[in-house]
Amino acid sequence: MDPIEAFLQANALVTPLYPATSRYHGIAAAQLRLADGTHVAYLRRRFIPPPEGLALQQEHQVVAGDRLDNLAARYLGDPLQYWRLCDANRAVRPAELTETPGRRLRITLPEGIPGGIPGVGGAD
């Protein structure tokens, strides 16, 4: 990120690219200049937090017909938060979380929020 953009963001003079509920919130935008002089805009890499550090709220046992968006709506209050279930369960491919009935899914608090079940999943 260039110094001017960093200053503007640090001083809340620029609207974030993504809302606080997005997995891309806080990820900086960048540009790549190609050999022909054109610029390609992209987001910098997002690093997934280690699931062990996320505070466990509860677990869900997958049953046939479960959908990740419905589980996110039930447990997190927003179907668009399905990506938090992916992060909590180390899933790169979201569909893998509900493919196997009987699988136990971790439902966690967002990164940086302490709590959850004492002694489990980063909760104290």
Side-chain angles (χ1 to χ4, degrees), residues 6-124:
F7 172 81
L8 293 173
Q9 285 187 2
N11 291 287
L13 300 174
V14 172
T15 304
L17 293 174
Y18 294 92
T21 55
S22 171
R23 76 179 112 185
Y24 300 112
H25 179 76
I27 303 296
Q31 285 192 7
L32 173 67
R33 184 174 180 193
L34 301 178
D36 67 2
T38 60
H39 291 266
V40 176
Y42 67 96
L43 290 180
R44 296 202 181 270
R45 184 173 177 186
R46 174 181 178 263
F47 291 95
I48 299 172
E52 301 79 24
L54 301 174
L56 182 67
Q57 282 185 303
Q58 65 189 88
E59 290 187 340
H60 171 82
Q61 188 166 354
V62 174
V63 297
D66 271 348
R67 287 187 8 206
L68 207 52
D69 60 335
N70 289 339
L71 295 176
R74 180 191 317 169
Y75 292 111
L76 307 175
D78 181 355
L80 298 178
Q81 295 296 299
Y82 72 91
W83 61 270
R84 285 186 35 210
L85 299 175
C86 293
D87 284 0
N89 293 279
R90 291 188 194 266
V92 175
R93 194 174 55 82
E96 75 185 62
L97 293 178
T98 54
E99 284 176 339
T100 308
R103 178 178 180 163
R104 298 193 68 76
L105 300 180
R106 293 170 37 89
I107 313 296
T108 63
L109 294 173
E111 182 180 22
I113 298 180
I117 300 171
V120 177
D124 294 322

